[in-house]
Amino acid sequence: MAIDIYAGNFGAKELNHLLKRTLFGAKRSDIAAFAGQSVSQVVDFLLRDLALPNPPVNNYNDTNYTDANVPIGQTWVNTLYTDGTANSRRVTSFKSWWITQMLNQPVSIREKLTLFWHNHFATEADTVDDARYIYKHNALLRSSALGNFKTLTKQVTIDPAMVRYLNGYASTRTAPDENYARELQELFTLGKGPDSKYTEADVKAAARLLTGYTLDSTNIISVFNTNRHDVTDKQFSSFYGNKLIKGRTGADGAKEVDDLLDMIFAQVEVSKYICRRLYRFFVYYDITADVEANFITPLAEIFRSSNYEIKPVLKVLFTSNHFFLAQNRSCNIKAPVDFVVGLAREFEIVFPDASDYVNVYYMSDYLRSTASNLQQNLADPPNVSGWPAYYQVPQFYELWINSDTLPKRNVFTDRFISSGYTRNGKKIVIDPIAYTAKFSKPEDPNILLDEALAHLYTIEVSADVKKFLKSILLSNQVTDAYWTTAWLDYKAAPTTAKTAIVQTRLQEFYKYIMNLEEYQLS
């Protein structure tokens, strides 16, 4: 069964929908740059290969602490682990750096996918407790985000952060640890659906097969120790066709991981499970019987026929008619990271120059801590399953909004349209005048209103809401001239008084837009 390719109008609305789902916020410059291109051309651009960013650096030396092993401004990712204080500061440095990658992302799905894979192959920085492993794991997810899923799963299996996180380093032939063997099947490849009928015996057999990995903290790698590996044969259940994986001795013991993955990836359910995960992250959480039969199943067939390459699946997903259906727009509640980073990008908040990396990192850390207060602590999901909003039936990402988090979201947006965040005399704040000046005709309140809503929302609002928003621009007067005159007077002579008039109205205008429920949707 073929998936219908989108053949409808592909204008600014459709482009905004696509970019908000694949990026952290859609800048107007991004939308304008794609004007006139086809959906296929835009998706190809989003899926292109890119050079990897430079690693995080030491931004954290201060009067209380100096990392003697890492000069200020130099990267710490290949340095020896020294002490808990250094490690704690490096973890914070990493998290700030990651937010900075999101803020400065090129027009590419890679950063959004890095978050997707981080949630899928979840690890917790607090548990891994080594910033170097944490960075290396993140770099693996970023570099492989658009590659081969089977290859990525192999690399994650022997990744030192994962070996540490799920106790692989403590698993021996005399005491095999079942943690990774269980999560590999239950969370990473097959899921828990009715067609995932692996058994407890399969978990135990896989655990024996995975024994032997230890950690080399000097070289920041996992190492296969032949003396710790269970060399006996491993018998699997009828779900796997009663597969017998022969035990291997010596260095060949490490090849049993490939035998295990070959066996797992022969199961059709792997492709379906991953396609469901992608669908829930990028489209909508409710997978009906119709969606399962007519979208997930054929998408999974594409995944298998492409030998588990990720790009072909995403190309079909984002160019499908299904992705652009009305019911699949504005149905996503923005995850906290998407919410805070998207605001900064869409309003084009000016951060300190990249050379001022100390303040850049601290500004990014403010956004990270805000997202954490909204229940998404980057690099520290609550457990190996990731954040509940991505998997918890039946609420899914409705869990992001509650009586605690919604007011906090409003406090954040209110702050950034008014005072912003200041550190060391540097400020990040929405400049409503600069944002407004880039619309086609900012002096016309009707055009300004329509263009602002078209950019910041992906859903229509009522006539009453529009009327109220316009009244803010008009300062509760009845004719358009009250705004037009104010703007043109400011442009002609931007005195303090004239600037204050448009600044105050625009602050109230955007504050209200961001406080409405539509702003929480993507």
Side-chain angles (χ1 to χ4, degrees):
M1 178 182 296
I3 293 175
D4 292 337
I5 301 300
Y6 182 67
N9 179 63
F10 188 65
K13 285 184 179 180
E14 290 73 27
L15 184 54
N16 202 23
H17 167 63
L18 174 62
L19 294 183
K20 283 182 188 286
R21 292 294 178 85
T22 52
L23 308 175
F24 292 99
K27 289 186 177 182
R28 285 171 299 178
S29 57
D30 298 335
I31 297 170
F34 287 119
Q37 293 193 28
S38 69
V39 62
S40 182
Q41 288 173 315
V42 176
V43 171
D44 282 344
F45 195 83
L46 288 165
L47 299 180
R48 74 197 190 284
D49 294 319
L50 295 166
L52 294 171
N54 292 326
V57 299
N58 176 354
N59 69 301
Y60 47 79
N61 281 2
D62 56 30
T63 55
N64 297 316
Y65 179 82
T66 297
D67 189 336
N69 293 286
V70 185
I72 188 77
Q74 299 298 306
T75 188
W76 44 261
V77 302
N78 297 312
T79 307
L80 286 174
Y81 184 100
T82 50
D83 59 72
T85 302
N87 185 62
S88 175
R89 293 192 175 213
R90 291 172 185 176
V91 170
T92 301
S93 167
F94 162 73
K95 291 185 176 187
S96 301
W97 170 86
W98 191 359
I99 290 287
T100 303
Q101 303 317 307
M102 295 176 180
L103 288 166
N104 298 328
Q105 66 185 278
V107 183
S108 162
I109 196 177
R110 187 176 68 189
E111 285 304 318
K112 207 67 170 284
L113 270 180
T114 301
L115 179 61
F116 170 82
W117 291 122
H118 167 55
N119 179 72
H120 183 77
F121 292 113
T123 57
E124 297 172 68
D126 275 354
T127 303
V128 175
D129 198 33
D130 190 322
R132 305 168 309 158
Y133 293 156
I134 294 161
Y135 167 74
K136 190 167 185 175
H137 178 76
N138 184 269
L140 169 62
L141 300 181
R142 181 175 281 102
S143 64
S144 305
L146 283 159
N148 185 279
F149 175 62
K150 185 178 179 183
T151 302
L152 174 57
T153 305
K154 166 67 180 294
Q155 293 305 311
V156 166
T157 300
I158 60 175
D159 173 70
M162 187 62 78
V163 170
R164 167 74 69 86
Y165 180 55
L166 290 181
N167 300 329
Y169 71 100
S171 185
T172 67
R173 57 188 175 84
T174 56
D177 187 285
E178 296 175 9
N179 272 6
Y180 187 79
R182 186 178 308 283
E183 308 309 355
L184 173 64
Q185 296 170 83
E186 183 175 299
L187 295 177
F188 301 160
T189 59
L190 289 158
K192 307 175 187 178
D195 294 325
S196 298
K197 297 179 180 178
Y198 57 86
T199 67
E200 191 64 22
D202 292 329
V203 171
K204 293 181 183 299
R208 291 193 294 114
L209 181 151
L210 290 162
T211 52
Y213 285 92
T214 59
L215 293 170
D216 176 351
S217 63
T218 301
N219 294 301
I220 322 173
I221 57 173
S222 66
V223 177
F224 185 75
N225 185 324
T226 57
N227 295 323
R228 292 161 63 98
H229 178 61
D230 184 330
V231 299
T232 62
D233 295 347
K234 288 86 181 176
Q235 178 68 55
F236 290 86
S237 72
S238 59
F239 174 72
Y240 291 116
N242 297 309
K243 176 76 173 179
L244 180 73
I245 293 181
K246 298 291 290 183
R248 298 174 186 249
T249 58
D252 279 353
K255 295 179 181 178
E256 288 184 42
V257 171
D258 295 313
D259 297 334
L260 176 64
L261 293 180
D262 286 344
M263 180 187 75
I264 291 174
F265 275 76
Q267 310 307 311
V268 171
E269 189 60 19
V270 172
S271 59
K272 291 185 176 181
Y273 172 62
I274 300 304
C275 286
R276 290 186 201 110
R277 297 280 299 206
L278 289 166
Y279 184 91
R280 287 188 167 123
F281 191 90
F282 288 106
V283 186
Y284 187 50
Y285 64 69
D286 186 17
I287 299 179
T288 63
D290 179 67
V291 170
E292 177 73 20
N294 298 312
F295 197 80
I296 299 299
T297 297
L299 196 64
E301 290 173 1
I302 292 167
F303 201 16
R304 293 194 303 278
S305 66
S306 331
N307 193 30
Y308 291 99
E309 290 291 325
I310 297 159
K311 269 190 188 181
V313 173
L314 295 177
K315 176 65 184 280
V316 172
L317 190 156
F318 291 122
T319 58
S320 70
N321 184 64
H322 185 83
F323 178 76
F324 290 98
L325 290 175
Q327 64 263 34
N328 289 331
R329 304 190 201 186
S330 298
C331 59
N332 255 334
I333 293 174
K334 295 174 186 173
V337 169
D338 204 1
F339 177 75
V340 299
V341 175
L343 176 141
R345 283 174 42 79
E346 292 188 340
F347 280 103
E348 299 177 58
I349 290 176
V350 178
F351 281 70
D353 185 78
S355 61
D356 185 9
Y357 55 87
V358 172
N359 282 311
V360 170
Y361 274 46
Y362 276 107
M363 297 301 193
S364 293
D365 191 60
Y366 176 75
L367 298 184
R368 181 211 58 81
S369 64
T370 298
S372 180
N373 289 335
L374 297 173
Q375 299 185 347
Q376 192 172 29
N377 186 3
L378 200 62
D380 270 302
N383 54 57
V384 70
S385 297
W387 287 280
Y390 294 120
Y391 67 84
Q392 188 64 62
V393 179
Q395 307 99 321
F396 289 94
Y397 33 80
E398 291 174 22
L399 291 168
W400 292 131
I401 299 288
N402 56 47
S403 59
D404 175 62
T405 60
L406 183 57
K408 286 179 178 175
R409 287 183 178 223
N410 291 340
V411 166
F412 173 75
T413 56
D414 288 355
R415 178 173 188 172
F416 269 83
I417 196 59
S418 55
S419 60
Y421 173 69
T422 301
R423 183 185 184 278
N424 286 349
K426 306 289 178 69
K427 178 187 285 190
I428 50 174
V429 65
I430 294 171
D431 183 340
I433 294 178
Y435 176 76
T436 300
K438 292 186 178 181
F439 287 120
S440 68
K441 202 171 183 182
E443 70 273 17
D444 185 323
N446 302 294
I447 294 175
L448 169 57
L449 174 60
D450 286 343
E451 292 185 353
L453 292 178
H455 177 227
L456 297 172
Y457 291 172
T458 53
I459 191 172
E460 296 292 333
V461 298
S462 70
D464 286 343
V465 168
K466 284 189 173 184
K467 182 179 178 181
F468 180 79
L469 286 167
K470 184 177 175 181
S471 74
I472 296 174
L473 295 174
L474 302 186
S475 195
N476 292 316
Q477 301 300 320
V478 293
T479 62
D480 293 356
Y482 281 96
W483 169 253
T484 303
T485 301
W487 180 264
L488 293 178
D489 282 353
Y490 152 75
K491 291 295 288 183
T495 63
T496 301
K498 291 176 179 178
T499 301
I501 290 172
V502 294
Q503 176 95 358
T504 301
R505 292 193 207 174
L506 288 173
Q507 284 176 329
E508 195 63 27
F509 177 69
Y510 292 120
K511 176 182 178 180
Y512 192 84
I513 285 176
M514 291 188 289
N515 280 344
L516 287 177
E517 60 190 25
E518 285 85 353
Y519 190 69
Q520 310 303 327
L521 303 176
S522 167

